[in-house]
Amino acid sequence: MLDYFLTREQKIIVEVARQIGEDYIKPYAHEWDEKEEFDWRPIRAMAKADLFGIFIPKEYGGLGFGTFENCLAVETLSKYCAGVTTTFAASGLGAYPILIAGNKEQKAKYLPEIAAGRKLCAFALTEPQAGSDAASIKTTAQKDGDYYILNGIKQWITNGGIADIYIVIALTDPKKGARGASAFIVHKNDPGFAIGQKEKKMGLRASVTTELFFSNCRLPKDRLLGREGMGFIIAMRTLDLSRPGVGAQAVGLGQGALEMALHHTRRRIQFGQPVFNFQAVSHTLAEMAAKLEAARALVYSVARYIDSGAKSISGPSAMAKYLASETTMWITERAVQMMGGFGYMREFLVEKMMRDAKCLQIYEGTNEIQKNVIARELAKLDQEG
Ligand code: COS
């Protein structure tokens, strides 16, 4: 791995995440995947180590770092289990809308709890009929005096049931479509709010995914984030900030698969020698390493670009998510192939890594949507030029 000239604090974040991975994730990752089980222990360890506060400003009890430091933590944890990391990263996803659009009171009320890891967050945009086409959501939030009444269904929501704070995008003016959407803070115990069944997934099985049901869910008006009509833009800006994190998750997962394939192929004897000695194998590992480093360099550059305060981040953010997740899908598939029968057996975690990698091409916007976003930004550049 290249030297990316991390600061002392950044190296500490990596080391803390590595230690949590070794002690609280590695020994159990296989079991959680097999049993499709969520476990609080690594989450509590992350909370104790202040990792949930990485990008929360110091005035709200966080560490005051940025996207890059968050990516370093996500990458390091993902090497051990991308499923566990999904719980962590999705809580960050739910914190962004409060950072982006919350007023002083909302920030003071929610961010310290989130930073301390006392309350997990969830971000609820997707609905049964509105996945990639996020603007076609149907959940409504009807104003009723000092309240909003929410009705509708959200689907595939990470941290459903284990989160205390839900950011829900709903239509305050259904006639206006995307421009009529607003963002709300919903508490787990709000009346009229219910959690659906836990979904059965191909990968990321240590994380929890559920539906959310709103049936005349009554929220006081101070739960509105920003202004009415800003919900879609808040959601898009949230995803712009969070997608490099999916790239970082891919890089960590790819690193795990590469190391596993390297370890195995240098010890597996066939035809009287380690299979690594055959060029078909060593060259594949060389390609994995080179492509992974390119993905890491892009993710780091984009994260640092965002932290510089750059305004046009949609395209770079989509590139980081797209390129790193495609790379890691390829790496994990090749790692299974290079390990042959061992790779295919559930006893060895590499097939889990391949299943986990698949979701990174799909969630937080499919890679097809990422390419739409990149192409849209390209077209703008051409117009300006
Ligand atoms: N930042 C700020 N504003 C943005 C924005 C961004 N990144 N992207 C779009 N907007 C604004 C547009 O400027 C437009 O505003 P105006 O109406 O004022 O002009 C509005 O939002 C609607 O944008 P657009 O017309 O581009 O919306 P589309 O319906 O074409 O959808 C995509 C855009 C496809 C990019 C969006 O639906 C999307 O990201 N889909 C994937 C959703 C997703 O990632 N889901 C994962 C689940 S959440 S983990």
Side-chain angles (χ1 to χ4, degrees), residues 14-29 42 76-77 79-81 259:
V14 171
E15 178 49 28
V16 165
R18 194 193 65 77
Q19 204 59 57
I20 291 172
E22 287 290 328
D23 296 346
Y24 293 91
I25 305 179
K26 195 175 175 180
Y28 315 105
T76 309
L77 293 166
K79 195 176 117 177
Y80 297 94
C81 177
E259 286 178 17

Side-chain angles (χ1 to χ4, degrees), residues 20-77:
I20 291 172
E22 287 290 328
D23 296 346
Y24 293 91
I25 305 179
K26 195 175 175 180
Y28 315 105
H30 177 66
E31 185 188 333
W32 293 333
D33 177 62
E34 283 284 311
K35 295 185 178 164
E36 300 197 39
E37 206 168 85
F38 166 77
D39 196 296
W40 280 104
R41 280 171 294 176
I43 303 304
R44 291 205 184 98
M46 290 175 210
K48 206 169 159 203
D50 292 332
L51 294 188
F52 284 98
I54 286 183
F55 61 84
I56 309 279
K58 282 185 182 163
E59 59 180 309
Y60 297 114
L63 296 179
F65 294 114
T67 312
F68 182 48
E69 287 78 7
N70 191 50
C71 282
L72 290 174
V74 166
E75 176 190 349
T76 309
L77 293 166

Side-chain angles (χ1 to χ4, degrees), residues 255-273:
Q255 183 70 37
L258 169 63
E259 286 178 17
M260 211 164 271
L262 181 64
H263 184 85
H264 176 85
T265 56
R266 285 177 41 84
R267 282 158 189 80
R268 170 74 172 159
I269 307 292
Q270 290 292 279
F271 305 103
Q273 53 186 314

Side-chain angles (χ1 to χ4, degrees), residues 143-276:
K143 190 103 189 258
D144 179 22
D146 286 344
Y147 293 87
Y148 286 96
I149 316 286
L150 267 61
N151 279 291
I153 301 174
K154 294 288 174 183
Q155 192 175 50
W156 301 326
I157 306 304
T158 305
N159 293 350
I162 59 167
D164 289 298
I165 301 165
Y166 297 77
I167 305 301
V168 178
I169 312 297
L171 300 174
T172 38
D173 190 346
K175 292 188 298 295
K176 288 192 183 162
R179 287 183 189 205
S182 305
F184 294 91
I185 303 169
V186 178
H187 298 175
K188 188 180 179 179
N189 57 3
D190 278 328
F193 174 38
I195 310 291
Q197 271 190 356
K198 192 176 153 188
E199 303 285 356
K200 293 178 183 166
K201 306 194 294 277
M202 176 195 233
L204 304 180
R205 290 162 64 159
S207 70
V208 183
T209 310
T210 71
E211 280 186 318
L212 308 180
F213 299 108
F214 301 92
S215 176
N216 290 326
C217 172
R218 181 177 280 264
L219 303 178
K221 67 177 184 199
D222 64 3
R223 302 282 193 83
L224 173 72
L225 275 173
R227 292 190 309 278
E228 280 189 21
M230 276 179 68
F232 192 75
I233 287 170
I234 293 172
M236 292 300 112
R237 288 183 58 201
T238 293
L239 292 166
D240 284 347
L241 289 171
S242 71
R243 283 173 179 156
V246 181
Q249 200 178 7
V251 171
L253 179 53
Q255 183 70 37
L258 169 63
E259 286 178 17
M260 211 164 271
L262 181 64
H263 184 85
H264 176 85
T265 56
R266 285 177 41 84
R267 282 158 189 80
R268 170 74 172 159
I269 307 292
Q270 290 292 279
F271 305 103
Q273 53 186 314
V275 292
F276 184 82

